Amino acid sequence: MQATLFALPEPIQKQRSYAIPVYTVKLVRDGSMSYATAQIRSSKDIVPIMRDYLADTDREHFVVIMLDQKIKVIGINTVSTGSLTASIVHPREVWKPVILSNAAAVILCHNHPSGSAGPSQEDRALTTRLVAGGKLLGINVLDHLIIGDGTGEYFSFADEGLLS
């Protein structure tokens, strides 16, 4: 008797023709931003870019900044737009544009439009999960920044030694 991995009931095993979708995956440029330099040397270099990118947002946005091997910005993608106090972020949505852009590293960023830049327990857990995913994919997570509510305040996981 031959074992099959996917044994179907007899009536379903009749010969049929099925349409199998064929996909093309593309990363589409949605716009651009001008800055004097794209080279990132510290968290302070990315904060003004993110403040401009997230200006006038009234909800939480989770953004991934994609970097090449020389730590130059090659793209920015908004992964999730949430509510005033939360944004649902799934790792597969974070890594999809990163992989498509051939990024060597990333900086994660999100804003707290209604409060301080301090990280929540959910922020810490998500960062740990995304760092682990990056290691699995061979893509370095260099930082996770939280931009405060316009007071100039920001929090850097890397500056605080919270990236393992």
Side-chain angles (χ1 to χ4, degrees):
M1 184 167 135
Q2 185 178 8
T4 59
L5 188 57
F6 300 105
L8 299 175
E10 279 302 315
I12 297 177
Q13 289 183 358
K14 293 181 182 177
Q15 276 228 290
R16 294 183 183 166
S17 176
Y18 293 99
I20 299 173
V22 177
Y23 297 102
T24 300
V25 180
K26 297 178 182 179
L27 189 63
V28 179
R29 183 178 295 205
D30 197 30
S32 64
M33 297 173 59
S34 295
Y35 276 87
T37 181
Q39 185 76 41
I40 305 300
R41 291 185 174 85
S42 73
S43 60
K44 290 179 181 169
D45 293 335
I46 203 71
V47 170
I49 296 171
M50 286 295 93
R51 285 208 185 281
D52 283 352
Y53 186 74
L54 296 170
D56 303 321
T57 57
D58 62 346
R59 293 175 286 161
E60 193 167 299
H61 288 67
F62 191 93
V63 176
V64 62
I65 300 107
M66 298 160 288
L67 308 162
D68 68 10
Q69 65 277 6
K70 295 181 182 177
I71 317 302
K72 289 185 179 176
V73 177
I74 58 173
I76 297 172
N77 179 257
T78 300
V79 174
S80 174
T81 301
S83 67
L84 183 63
T85 58
S87 180
I88 296 173
V89 179
H90 195 282
R92 73 172 161 249
E93 301 305 320
V94 171
W95 295 113
K96 188 185 311 182
V98 174
I99 291 167
L100 291 173
S101 69
N102 292 318
V106 297
I107 296 173
L108 310 169
C109 182
H110 77 278
N111 62 328
H112 284 174
S114 66
S116 81
S120 67
Q121 281 303 112
E122 292 84 7
D123 294 337
R124 291 173 188 268
L126 177 63
T127 302
T128 299
R129 197 168 170 206
L130 292 173
V131 167
K135 285 179 182 176
L136 193 67
L137 294 168
I139 301 169
N140 291 326
V141 175
L142 301 180
D143 205 347
H144 180 177
L145 296 173
I146 302 172
I147 306 296
D149 63 353
T151 62
E153 183 182 1
Y154 73 93
F155 181 90
S156 164
F157 279 76
D159 292 353
E160 297 297 323
L162 296 175
L163 293 180
S164 55

